[in-house]
Amino acid sequence: MANPSCVPTSDPRYADLAVPGDNARFTPRPEMFVLATTTEEVVAAVQSAVDSGRAVAARSGGHCYENFVADPRVDVVIDLGRMNRVDWDPVRGAVSVEPGARLLDLYRTLYLRWGVTIPGGASETVAVGGHLLGGGYGPLSRRFGIASDHVHAVEVVVVDADGRARAVVTTADPRDPHHELWWGLTGAGGGNFGIVTRFWLRSRGAPGDEPSEALPRPPANVLATSRMFPREGMTPAAFRTLVGGYSRWHEHNSGLDSPYAGLYAGLVLIAGQAENDPGLSAILFLHLDGETPDAERLLDGCLAEMTAGVDAPAFDTPVTREPWLASMTGLARAQDGSGGRQKIKSAHLRRSYTDDQIDALHEHLNGPDHPFESASVSLQSSGCATNALLPGETAVSQRDSVLRALYLVTWREESADEACLNWMRRMYRDVYAETGGVPVPDENSEGCYLNFPDVDMADPRWNTSGVAWQDLYFKDNHARLQAVAKNWDPLGVFRHDFSIR
């Protein structure tokens, strides 16, 4: 009898599993999918792939922005989507989470069962697996740090030098002989070292052994408002004032002791469109912990400071106060993409863009050569607790940034691929013209964000800085990550274009 968890190309279920994920540019076409539900099934699937010489990859939510899982070289895709259980583990005193759990489902479970959460991203469809392995930022990160800062232990399927697949558990305890593997799994990104089948979540220094004490408690409610800037009247000078003022506010209000640690802000710069243009040049949104002392005054004050001197029309949405989970749900649904073909780029900012960089953004976002459905550059709050740990305490090396920049372009037709990709590449290159087309770590920038991988960073046509892509994503942690890979994936079983070699 055939194994029902194995889905070869002849199986009618194959077509559904081969539907592209969030980025429709990449369609997986492996020899088979394996629908794993247990760690033992993952071990068996990996062992079978190794024994038969087949290349293997895993996916949890299908949100990879590059062709790491759908790569034609991949023969077997292990789908972890049905491994989505969330439970309390009294032995480890931590919440056990499988990699297929979706972020919003995880937040609901953590909060409604135990009144806690983790500071991960706002998404209804992104799964825990890849998100935690790349760090994971979200609306509560300024208050509670990066999501992977709360990973207490990891169960991962690895392959030894003799080709034997097995599951190991590695923990945050420095006395653990497998501790370096835990460290690598807190920021090296998905598809490295092995396949994670379980995380245990517990905050550093959590005081007790109850689930209600193991992780942070989110605010009871959230204040929110936004300011909209129409395209008409948004001159280059006003645009420069807006982007510069917003960014400099974060430079001055992102310390560990900031009264704005409970703030999550985003400035979304919207590209104009030849047809059906929404008429907006920028949206500035603010979400503030409603339990912050003088929350209303702080919200009004930061909005005024961020937009001071902007000589352009604007209108505000009313200030609302929502329960935390309702606010998170709305934000997740608003931020999740609408699918389509996509290209994404990123940067960590230690300080504001220069005027020349802001002018480059304005020129490209408002230029005539727009072949896409939508495009934007979003500057999102970082700093405060995201910088509480030193760069070597976890594998996430960017611990001195105040903003994260997300560049995103979306289109529908394959025939527009070249034009849309080139538009995005030119804009990014021109923003970082002074540093070889990429955000070289220096006094202004801190490299790129691994959960938004961009293979252009390894392409000498677009990265002329002389700085390797590994240094943009991992900085000084790269050599240590290479040692982890040498010890835990000596045969190079788990490989993709951005894997640790």
Side-chain angles (χ1 to χ4, degrees):
M1 182 175 179
N3 184 346
S5 70
C6 294
V7 182
T9 55
S10 59
D11 191 305
R13 296 173 294 172
Y14 184 95
D16 283 302
L17 293 169
V19 170
D22 194 56
N23 190 350
R25 286 172 58 209
F26 307 121
T27 302
R29 288 287 186 267
E31 291 181 18
M32 73 172 63
F33 292 91
V34 176
L35 307 179
T37 59
T38 67
T39 299
E40 292 74 20
E41 290 177 357
V42 175
V43 171
V46 172
Q47 188 67 68
S48 176
V50 171
D51 291 345
S52 60
R54 290 180 168 87
V56 64
R59 71 178 184 188
S60 51
H63 274 257
C64 185
Y65 288 103
E66 290 290 0
N67 199 21
F68 297 164
V69 175
D71 190 321
R73 295 171 293 184
V74 173
D75 302 309
V76 179
V77 172
I78 301 176
D79 190 300
L80 306 172
R82 294 193 295 172
M83 294 181 66
N84 56 14
R85 291 174 284 269
V86 180
D87 296 296
W88 172 249
D89 184 340
V91 176
R92 294 195 180 276
V95 177
S96 168
V97 181
E98 292 183 331
R102 305 297 173 114
L103 289 179
L104 193 56
D105 292 336
L106 173 62
Y107 302 149
R108 286 194 185 104
T109 300
L110 291 175
Y111 187 59
L112 296 179
R113 289 180 67 179
W114 303 303
V116 298
T117 191
I118 59 170
S123 175
E124 193 168 23
T125 57
V126 169
V128 169
H131 189 66
L132 288 178
L133 292 172
Y137 296 83
L140 294 177
S141 286
R142 279 168 61 94
R143 176 74 77 193
F144 299 124
I146 301 169
S148 63
D149 294 345
H150 301 266
V151 172
H152 177 68
V154 184
E155 180 182 70
V156 55
V157 176
V158 298
V159 177
D160 294 339
D162 60 1
R164 182 174 67 95
R166 63 189 179 101
V168 299
V169 174
T170 172
T171 74
D173 186 346
R175 298 167 297 180
D176 181 351
H178 303 332
H179 176 73
E180 278 297 282
L181 178 57
W182 167 87
W183 178 85
L185 293 168
T186 61
N192 277 298
F193 316 136
I195 297 177
V196 170
T197 52
R198 186 176 309 166
F199 299 92
W200 285 270
L201 304 178
R202 180 181 177 87
S203 300
R204 295 167 182 241
D209 296 324
E210 297 298 323
S212 59
E213 301 172 314
L215 291 167
R217 302 187 73 85
N221 56 77
V222 176
L223 290 179
T225 189
S226 60
R227 180 162 291 178
M228 313 284 193
F229 295 89
R231 193 170 310 283
E232 185 175 354
M234 180 57 77
T235 64
F239 188 85
R240 184 187 291 180
T241 303
L242 173 62
V243 177
Y246 172 83
S247 303
R248 285 188 291 274
W249 184 93
H250 281 83
E251 288 182 41
H252 301 304
N253 294 276
S254 296
L256 291 175
D257 59 349
S258 172
Y260 286 102
L263 178 77
Y264 174 59
L267 178 61
V268 185
L269 309 173
I270 305 168
Q273 298 178 43
E275 299 179 0
N276 302 316
D277 184 68
L280 288 176
S281 176
I283 301 172
L284 196 167
F285 66 84
L286 302 171
H287 289 242
L288 180 64
D289 177 346
E291 297 177 308
T292 303
D294 294 325
E296 292 87 352
R297 179 183 63 80
L298 287 174
L299 190 71
D300 290 343
C302 74
L303 180 59
E305 291 176 26
M306 289 176 179
T307 60
V310 178
D311 186 14
F315 59 92
D316 295 350
T317 61
V319 176
T320 61
R321 185 185 292 269
E322 278 192 301
W324 172 77
L325 187 56
S327 173
M328 192 66 169
T329 301
L331 190 59
R333 291 172 177 169
Q335 293 195 165
D336 275 336
S338 57
R341 308 175 75 83
Q342 300 174 344
K343 179 63 178 177
I344 198 165
K345 293 178 178 287
S346 69
H348 289 276
L349 278 65
R350 299 180 69 189
R351 60 184 62 178
S352 172
Y353 284 133
T354 66
D355 286 347
D356 286 345
Q357 289 177 303
I358 297 171
D359 290 346
L361 286 171
H362 184 271
E363 178 182 352
H364 285 279
L365 290 171
N366 293 279
D369 57 338
H370 291 171
F372 42 76
E373 179 178 285
S374 64
S376 63
V377 178
S378 181
L379 303 175
Q380 299 182 355
S381 295
S382 190
C384 296
T386 66
N387 298 333
L389 300 183
L390 296 174
E393 291 190 70
T394 72
V396 175
S397 61
Q398 288 83 8
R399 296 291 185 169
D400 194 33
S401 300
V402 298
L403 289 167
R404 290 182 317 284
L406 166 62
Y407 297 68
L408 177 64
V409 59
T410 301
W411 65 100
R412 292 291 168 183
E413 301 301 325
E414 184 177 357
S415 59
D417 280 7
E418 183 176 358
C420 292
L421 289 170
N422 284 336
W423 179 88
M424 172 64 87
R425 287 163 171 162
R426 292 195 308 271
M427 175 171 66
Y428 194 80
R429 176 201 62 196
D430 291 350
V431 169
Y432 290 101
E434 293 297 317
T435 53
V438 299
V440 172
D442 58 16
E443 65 275 11
N444 298 313
S445 301
E446 208 179 9
C448 305
Y449 176 35
L450 192 59
N451 276 353
F452 299 146
D454 175 16
V455 295
D456 293 342
M457 298 300 96
D459 188 334
R461 293 174 299 174
W462 300 104
N463 177 1
T464 61
S465 68
V467 176
W469 70 264
Q470 294 94 334
D471 294 325
L472 298 174
Y473 288 96
F474 305 123
K475 297 174 60 185
D476 292 341
N477 285 343
H478 181 224
R480 187 174 171 187
L481 288 168
Q482 286 181 299
V484 177
K486 181 178 179 180
N487 289 332
W488 289 99
D489 187 17
L491 300 181
V493 171
F494 305 100
R495 309 202 90 184
H496 54 72
D497 287 342
F498 268 17
S499 59
I500 307 295
R501 306 287 169 84

